[in-house]
Amino acid sequence: MALPRERDTWVTLLPRQSVGLWVYRTQIASVDGETFEPGDIVSVRDHRGRFVGKGFINPASMIQVRLLTRRQEDAIDEKFIRERVQRAWEYRQEVLSETESCRVIFGEADGLPGLIVDKFGDVLVMQNLALGMERWQEVLLEALEDLLRPEGIYARHDVPVREKEGLPLWKGFLTHPFPTRFLIRENGVPLWVDVERGHKTGHFLDQRENRAALKPFVRGKRVLDVFCHTGGFGLHAAHYGASEVTAVDISEEALELAKESARAGGVEHSIRFYREDAFTFLRQAVREGERYDVVILDPPAFAKSKRSLDGAYRGYKEINLQAMKLLRPGGFLVTCSCSSPVTFDMFDVMLLDAAADARRTLRLVERRGQARDHPVILDHPESQYLKCYILQ
């Protein structure tokens, strides 16, 4: 695939359009100038002709232009891309206490739209979600290898959103083959990761700091971890001294990995895993009069878009309502949402709604977000997606 070219092409916006880092098809008045190929670099201006930024264009996508820079003098070339990769890695080295396993590149938040790169020990996993960035793949691979010297790089280009960019779905090695299933340590807790078959890039690094935040609340406590997936929260609770952990998920494959992690950490006797639908488990536990000191809810995204918000609200309210009923007086609820369209304000309203029905009063201990290697860009609200509340 040829490298993108910077074209003398101008995308003009309709009046009264505020632009973050994405320019949608519905915001565009006209596209004029030099002929371009999808993924090439074009300039964006407002309806008065004022320069807005440069980015790569893809007429097949609803997001027509993804901005790379707001500086007209910037040349978007191989040097520019390499510098962005280097700056992303330098940021992680500055803000993280350890970089053994972390997100190296977080798309728009690192000035590389649509690109995800995760580091698991000596292995990197790349996920390209945008055509423009896909055309820079060879340059990106060279930059990552020069900077991080990984044992290997694996592609998880199997995300359905790629089809909206006109890109094929596939996964496989971008370098020589290597074992895709291995043990990492997160906050000192051993966790098995499968970058070939696991969800997304193989492990949810964005919850790393929230899992560490469990420590003061779980020692000697009875803990329930619902939607546990590969056991991240529940395994942390067990390592932090919980007397008993119950972990629930619908995926047998995820639970098998969680069980291996429990054995690797020597906590298999203090954590029990159940393969069951989370909603069913919670309702049944309430009916049976179960009580826990700590309940953790970390569900998958219930809302992929604004159109699904009503159903997502009902789903979040239901699981939080049942969790509140399961908590002993003074117990702690750790509840999360990774749905970008669900805002913090909306999550607040949902929690109050559930608390009213459960006849509980909530005390906010902490309102948290994603780990700092998943930074938020203030004029790109899509970069702020994870919510994690600790409530009593």
Side-chain angles (χ1 to χ4, degrees):
M1 189 179 290
L3 290 177
R5 290 182 56 189
E6 192 167 334
R7 304 285 185 172
D8 186 19
T9 305
W10 287 87
V11 173
T12 304
L13 301 177
L14 291 164
R16 296 181 295 280
Q17 294 298 315
S18 60
V19 176
L21 296 179
W22 291 347
V23 178
Y24 291 93
R25 182 184 300 158
T26 53
Q27 296 179 293
I28 296 174
S30 64
V31 181
D32 308 292
E34 186 180 359
T35 302
F36 62 85
E37 295 292 327
D40 280 346
I41 311 302
V42 301
S43 297
V44 179
R45 60 190 173 195
D46 66 17
H47 70 287
R48 293 176 179 167
R50 294 174 299 191
F51 178 80
V52 172
K54 294 180 186 178
F56 47 75
I57 188 168
N58 185 1
S61 174
M62 177 58 73
I63 305 170
Q64 292 271 284
V65 182
R66 297 173 188 255
L67 294 185
L68 288 156
T69 181
R70 298 187 187 277
R71 292 158 44 95
Q72 195 164 2
E73 63 270 25
D74 283 348
I76 312 300
D77 53 17
E78 183 174 337
K79 181 175 179 287
F80 178 94
I81 298 297
R82 282 179 165 271
E83 285 178 351
R84 286 285 169 92
V85 173
Q86 182 170 343
R87 282 162 56 184
W89 179 234
E90 288 172 351
Y91 165 77
R92 272 74 189 174
Q93 292 175 304
E94 287 173 350
V95 304
L96 300 180
S97 58
E98 62 88 16
T99 55
E100 179 67 18
S101 293
C102 65
R103 177 149 293 182
V104 177
I105 296 173
F106 184 41
E108 283 76 357
D110 287 302
L112 293 165
L115 177 66
I116 301 297
V117 178
D118 282 345
K119 179 179 184 291
F120 301 107
D122 295 325
V123 167
L124 298 181
V125 182
M126 175 185 285
Q127 195 169 77
N128 252 324
L129 307 178
L131 172 63
M133 199 51 64
E134 181 98 339
R135 289 180 59 184
W136 289 105
Q137 181 162 286
E138 292 306 314
V139 172
L140 291 165
L141 288 173
E142 289 177 8
L144 290 166
E145 289 189 305
D146 290 346
L147 197 61
L148 293 165
R149 303 292 180 185
E151 178 186 339
I153 305 177
Y154 195 82
R156 286 299 302 266
H157 298 339
D158 55 346
V159 189
V161 71
R162 280 173 57 94
E163 294 179 321
K164 297 180 180 179
E165 291 278 314
L167 292 168
L169 304 187
W170 66 280
K171 61 182 178 179
F173 296 101
L174 291 168
T175 58
H176 61 274
F178 54 86
T180 57
R181 200 166 176 276
F182 43 81
L183 197 65
I184 67 168
R185 286 191 176 269
E186 180 181 281
N187 305 311
V189 177
L191 299 171
W192 276 94
V193 171
D194 188 337
V195 300
E196 178 183 7
R197 301 174 64 184
H199 195 55
K200 295 198 174 179
T201 63
H203 180 62
F204 294 109
L205 291 165
D206 52 1
Q207 291 277 29
R208 182 183 63 254
E209 293 169 15
N210 296 330
R211 295 185 189 115
L214 281 179
K215 194 169 186 177
F217 308 104
V218 297
R219 178 166 295 279
K221 302 296 179 61
R222 189 172 191 233
V223 177
L224 173 63
D225 178 14
V226 188
F227 304 97
C228 73
H229 193 52
T230 54
F233 275 105
L235 290 163
H236 275 71
H239 278 272
Y240 292 153
S243 61
E244 176 189 324
V245 179
T246 299
V248 182
D249 201 89
I250 195 66
S251 168
E252 183 65 38
E253 190 172 23
L255 289 176
E256 286 304 315
L257 213 58
K259 290 173 185 177
E260 289 191 38
S261 297
R263 288 190 288 271
V267 295
E268 66 270 29
H269 300 300
S270 59
I271 183 167
R272 295 176 297 167
F273 296 97
Y274 292 89
R275 182 177 182 270
E276 196 166 340
D277 173 76
F279 288 84
T280 302
F281 183 94
L282 287 166
R283 292 175 190 135
Q284 183 65 25
V286 169
R287 284 194 295 270
E288 293 175 357
E290 292 282 1
R291 290 294 181 268
Y292 298 89
D293 302 299
V294 180
V295 176
I296 303 162
L297 302 174
D298 185 22
F302 286 171
K304 300 288 188 182
S305 67
K306 290 182 179 179
R307 290 191 300 273
S308 55
L309 277 175
D310 287 346
Y313 184 96
R314 290 191 295 273
Y316 285 122
K317 180 185 173 183
E318 172 66 12
I319 60 173
N320 281 277
L321 170 63
Q322 301 302 331
M324 291 175 198
K325 291 178 179 179
L326 288 171
L327 280 166
R328 294 191 176 102
F332 290 93
L333 173 62
V334 180
T335 180
C336 308
S337 166
C338 61
S339 298
S340 179
V342 176
T343 64
F344 278 91
D345 286 346
M346 190 180 304
F347 207 65
D348 286 348
V349 171
M350 178 278 298
L351 287 169
L352 288 171
D353 195 4
D357 285 0
R359 298 183 180 180
R360 299 288 191 272
T361 298
L362 301 179
R363 175 158 52 191
L364 178 64
V365 181
E366 275 192 89
R367 185 185 284 113
R368 305 175 59 89
Q370 61 235 40
R372 62 186 68 181
D373 52 352
H374 295 63
V376 173
I377 299 297
L378 291 182
D379 64 349
H380 186 63
E382 292 83 0
S383 64
Q384 185 172 41
Y385 66 94
L386 184 61
K387 293 148 287 287
C388 177
Y389 287 52
I390 302 177
L391 302 154
Q392 186 180 37

mmCIF file of all heavy atoms in Angstrom, residues 145-164:
data_model
loop_
_atom_site.group_PDB
_atom_site.id
_atom_site.type_symbol
_atom_site.label_atom_id
_atom_site.label_comp_id
_atom_site.label_asym_id
_atom_site.label_seq_id
_atom_site.Cartn_x
_atom_site.Cartn_y
_atom_site.Cartn_z
ATOM 1 N N GLU A 145 9.724 -0.766 16.080
ATOM 2 C CA GLU A 145 10.841 -1.693 16.260
ATOM 3 C C GLU A 145 12.108 -0.944 16.647
ATOM 4 O O GLU A 145 12.872 -1.394 17.508
ATOM 5 C CB GLU A 145 11.054 -2.510 14.987
ATOM 6 C CG GLU A 145 9.937 -3.536 14.760
ATOM 7 C CD GLU A 145 10.251 -4.490 13.628
ATOM 8 O OE1 GLU A 145 10.534 -4.001 12.510
ATOM 9 O OE2 GLU A 145 10.190 -5.707 13.853
ATOM 10 N N ASP A 146 12.348 0.206 16.032
ATOM 11 C CA ASP A 146 13.545 0.999 16.367
ATOM 12 C C ASP A 146 13.485 1.507 17.801
ATOM 13 O O ASP A 146 14.502 1.536 18.509
ATOM 14 C CB ASP A 146 13.678 2.192 15.407
ATOM 15 C CG ASP A 146 14.042 1.774 13.988
ATOM 16 O OD1 ASP A 146 14.455 0.614 13.807
ATOM 17 O OD2 ASP A 146 13.900 2.608 13.072
ATOM 18 N N LEU A 147 12.293 1.892 18.254
ATOM 19 C CA LEU A 147 12.139 2.541 19.553
ATOM 20 C C LEU A 147 12.034 1.546 20.702
ATOM 21 O O LEU A 147 12.639 1.741 21.763
ATOM 22 C CB LEU A 147 10.888 3.417 19.516
ATOM 23 C CG LEU A 147 10.710 4.487 20.587
ATOM 24 C CD1 LEU A 147 11.844 5.504 20.528
ATOM 25 C CD2 LEU A 147 9.367 5.188 20.402
ATOM 26 N N LEU A 148 11.286 0.456 20.496
ATOM 27 C CA LEU A 148 10.964 -0.453 21.607
ATOM 28 C C LEU A 148 11.656 -1.811 21.517
ATOM 29 O O LEU A 148 11.650 -2.566 22.492
ATOM 30 C CB LEU A 148 9.446 -0.655 21.672
ATOM 31 C CG LEU A 148 8.662 0.597 22.064
ATOM 32 C CD1 LEU A 148 7.184 0.444 21.757
ATOM 33 C CD2 LEU A 148 8.832 0.875 23.531
ATOM 34 N N ARG A 149 12.214 -2.147 20.358
ATOM 35 C CA ARG A 149 12.907 -3.422 20.174
ATOM 36 C C ARG A 149 12.086 -4.610 20.682
ATOM 37 O O ARG A 149 12.533 -5.409 21.516
ATOM 38 C CB ARG A 149 14.268 -3.403 20.896
ATOM 39 C CG ARG A 149 15.191 -2.288 20.453
ATOM 40 C CD ARG A 149 15.666 -2.505 19.023
ATOM 41 N NE ARG A 149 16.557 -1.448 18.585
ATOM 42 C CZ ARG A 149 17.038 -1.337 17.341
ATOM 43 N NH1 ARG A 149 16.699 -2.257 16.438
ATOM 44 N NH2 ARG A 149 17.828 -0.354 17.013
ATOM 45 N N PRO A 150 10.826 -4.757 20.211
ATOM 46 C CA PRO A 150 9.987 -5.849 20.721
ATOM 47 C C PRO A 150 10.433 -7.208 20.199
ATOM 48 O O PRO A 150 11.109 -7.307 19.165
ATOM 49 C CB PRO A 150 8.606 -5.495 20.164
ATOM 50 C CG PRO A 150 8.900 -4.764 18.889
ATOM 51 C CD PRO A 150 10.154 -3.974 19.156
ATOM 52 N N GLU A 151 10.019 -8.241 20.927
ATOM 53 C CA GLU A 151 10.248 -9.607 20.441
ATOM 54 C C GLU A 151 9.453 -9.848 19.161
ATOM 55 O O GLU A 151 9.876 -10.582 18.279
ATOM 56 C CB GLU A 151 9.825 -10.606 21.516
ATOM 57 C CG GLU A 151 9.970 -12.063 21.103
ATOM 58 C CD GLU A 151 9.416 -13.015 22.142
ATOM 59 O OE1 GLU A 151 9.289 -12.616 23.306
ATOM 60 O OE2 GLU A 151 9.097 -14.176 21.778
ATOM 61 N N GLY A 152 8.279 -9.226 19.085
ATOM 62 C CA GLY A 152 7.445 -9.365 17.891
ATOM 63 C C GLY A 152 6.253 -8.445 17.967
ATOM 64 O O GLY A 152 5.955 -7.865 19.023
ATOM 65 N N ILE A 153 5.568 -8.292 16.825
ATOM 66 C CA ILE A 153 4.377 -7.443 16.739
ATOM 67 C C ILE A 153 3.258 -8.248 16.101
ATOM 68 O O ILE A 153 3.453 -8.882 15.058
ATOM 69 C CB ILE A 153 4.642 -6.156 15.927
ATOM 70 C CG1 ILE A 153 5.840 -5.390 16.508
ATOM 71 C CG2 ILE A 153 3.403 -5.260 15.911
ATOM 72 C CD1 ILE A 153 6.226 -4.146 15.729
ATOM 73 N N TYR A 154 2.088 -8.203 16.734
ATOM 74 C CA TYR A 154 0.926 -8.948 16.259
ATOM 75 C C TYR A 154 -0.169 -7.963 15.855
ATOM 76 O O TYR A 154 -0.391 -6.951 16.532
ATOM 77 C CB TYR A 154 0.405 -9.881 17.351
ATOM 78 C CG TYR A 154 -0.557 -10.932 16.866
ATOM 79 C CD1 TYR A 154 -0.092 -12.100 16.280
ATOM 80 C CD2 TYR A 154 -1.930 -10.756 16.982
ATOM 81 C CE1 TYR A 154 -0.971 -13.079 15.834
ATOM 82 C CE2 TYR A 154 -2.817 -11.727 16.531
ATOM 83 C CZ TYR A 154 -2.327 -12.882 15.952
ATOM 84 O OH TYR A 154 -3.194 -13.836 15.499
ATOM 85 N N ALA A 155 -0.852 -8.235 14.752
ATOM 86 C CA ALA A 155 -1.943 -7.379 14.280
ATOM 87 C C ALA A 155 -3.285 -7.933 14.723
ATOM 88 O O ALA A 155 -3.571 -9.112 14.521
ATOM 89 C CB ALA A 155 -1.918 -7.279 12.754
ATOM 90 N N ARG A 156 -4.106 -7.064 15.336
ATOM 91 C CA ARG A 156 -5.498 -7.403 15.624
ATOM 92 C C ARG A 156 -6.395 -6.477 14.793
ATOM 93 O O ARG A 156 -7.146 -5.658 15.309
ATOM 94 C CB ARG A 156 -5.777 -7.264 17.117
ATOM 95 C CG ARG A 156 -5.188 -8.377 17.960
ATOM 96 C CD ARG A 156 -5.739 -9.760 17.604
ATOM 97 N NE ARG A 156 -7.166 -9.833 17.729
ATOM 98 C CZ ARG A 156 -7.797 -10.263 18.829
ATOM 99 N NH1 ARG A 156 -7.104 -10.644 19.875
ATOM 100 N NH2 ARG A 156 -9.113 -10.305 18.855
ATOM 101 N N HIS A 157 -6.272 -6.647 13.481
ATOM 102 C CA HIS A 157 -7.078 -5.859 12.545
ATOM 103 C C HIS A 157 -8.384 -6.597 12.232
ATOM 104 O O HIS A 157 -8.816 -6.672 11.081
ATOM 105 C CB HIS A 157 -6.301 -5.630 11.241
ATOM 106 C CG HIS A 157 -5.030 -4.852 11.406
ATOM 107 N ND1 HIS A 157 -4.785 -4.033 12.478
ATOM 108 C CD2 HIS A 157 -3.932 -4.755 10.617
ATOM 109 C CE1 HIS A 157 -3.593 -3.476 12.344
ATOM 110 N NE2 HIS A 157 -3.049 -3.901 11.229
ATOM 111 N N ASP A 158 -9.005 -7.137 13.286
ATOM 112 C CA ASP A 158 -10.222 -7.940 13.106
ATOM 113 C C ASP A 158 -11.430 -7.265 13.736
ATOM 114 O O ASP A 158 -12.398 -7.924 14.113
ATOM 115 C CB ASP A 158 -10.024 -9.346 13.683
ATOM 116 C CG ASP A 158 -9.583 -9.340 15.151
ATOM 117 O OD1 ASP A 158 -9.177 -8.282 15.653
ATOM 118 O OD2 ASP A 158 -9.641 -10.407 15.793
ATOM 119 N N VAL A 159 -11.389 -5.933 13.839
ATOM 120 C CA VAL A 159 -12.475 -5.172 14.461
ATOM 121 C C VAL A 159 -13.473 -4.745 13.384
ATOM 122 O O VAL A 159 -13.083 -4.154 12.370
ATOM 123 C CB VAL A 159 -11.920 -3.922 15.185
ATOM 124 C CG1 VAL A 159 -13.003 -3.257 16.002
ATOM 125 C CG2 VAL A 159 -10.729 -4.290 16.051
ATOM 126 N N PRO A 160 -14.780 -5.034 13.567
ATOM 127 C CA PRO A 160 -15.772 -4.734 12.534
ATOM 128 C C PRO A 160 -15.791 -3.289 12.051
ATOM 129 O O PRO A 160 -16.139 -3.024 10.892
ATOM 130 C CB PRO A 160 -17.099 -5.107 13.210
ATOM 131 C CG PRO A 160 -16.727 -6.169 14.185
ATOM 132 C CD PRO A 160 -15.375 -5.788 14.685
ATOM 133 N N VAL A 161 -15.375 -2.328 12.906
ATOM 134 C CA VAL A 161 -15.403 -0.926 12.500
ATOM 135 C C VAL A 161 -14.487 -0.681 11.294
ATOM 136 O O VAL A 161 -14.688 0.280 10.545
ATOM 137 C CB VAL A 161 -15.014 -0.011 13.685
ATOM 138 C CG1 VAL A 161 -13.527 -0.119 14.017
ATOM 139 C CG2 VAL A 161 -15.375 1.436 13.400
ATOM 140 N N ARG A 162 -13.510 -1.553 11.052
ATOM 141 C CA ARG A 162 -12.632 -1.403 9.882
ATOM 142 C C ARG A 162 -13.414 -1.493 8.578
ATOM 143 O O ARG A 162 -13.036 -0.874 7.575
ATOM 144 C CB ARG A 162 -11.522 -2.468 9.903
ATOM 145 C CG ARG A 162 -10.375 -2.132 10.822
ATOM 146 C CD ARG A 162 -9.402 -3.284 10.935
ATOM 147 N NE ARG A 162 -8.845 -3.727 9.660
ATOM 148 C CZ ARG A 162 -7.695 -3.300 9.143
ATOM 149 N NH1 ARG A 162 -6.962 -2.405 9.787
ATOM 150 N NH2 ARG A 162 -7.255 -3.784 8.002
ATOM 151 N N GLU A 163 -14.489 -2.261 8.587
ATOM 152 C CA GLU A 163 -15.289 -2.399 7.365
ATOM 153 C C GLU A 163 -15.906 -1.065 6.957
ATOM 154 O O GLU A 163 -16.094 -0.804 5.760
ATOM 155 C CB GLU A 163 -16.368 -3.452 7.574
ATOM 156 C CG GLU A 163 -15.805 -4.847 7.758
ATOM 157 C CD GLU A 163 -16.870 -5.904 7.988
ATOM 158 O OE1 GLU A 163 -17.852 -5.613 8.702
ATOM 159 O OE2 GLU A 163 -16.721 -7.017 7.458
ATOM 160 N N LYS A 164 -16.201 -0.202 7.933
ATOM 161 C CA LYS A 164 -16.741 1.126 7.619
ATOM 162 C C LYS A 164 -15.705 2.014 6.961
ATOM 163 O O LYS A 164 -16.047 3.020 6.337
ATOM 164 C CB LYS A 164 -17.263 1.793 8.892
ATOM 165 C CG LYS A 164 -18.419 1.044 9.542
ATOM 166 C CD LYS A 164 -18.894 1.737 10.802
ATOM 167 C CE LYS A 164 -20.049 0.978 11.446
ATOM 168 N NZ LYS A 164 -20.526 1.617 12.688
#
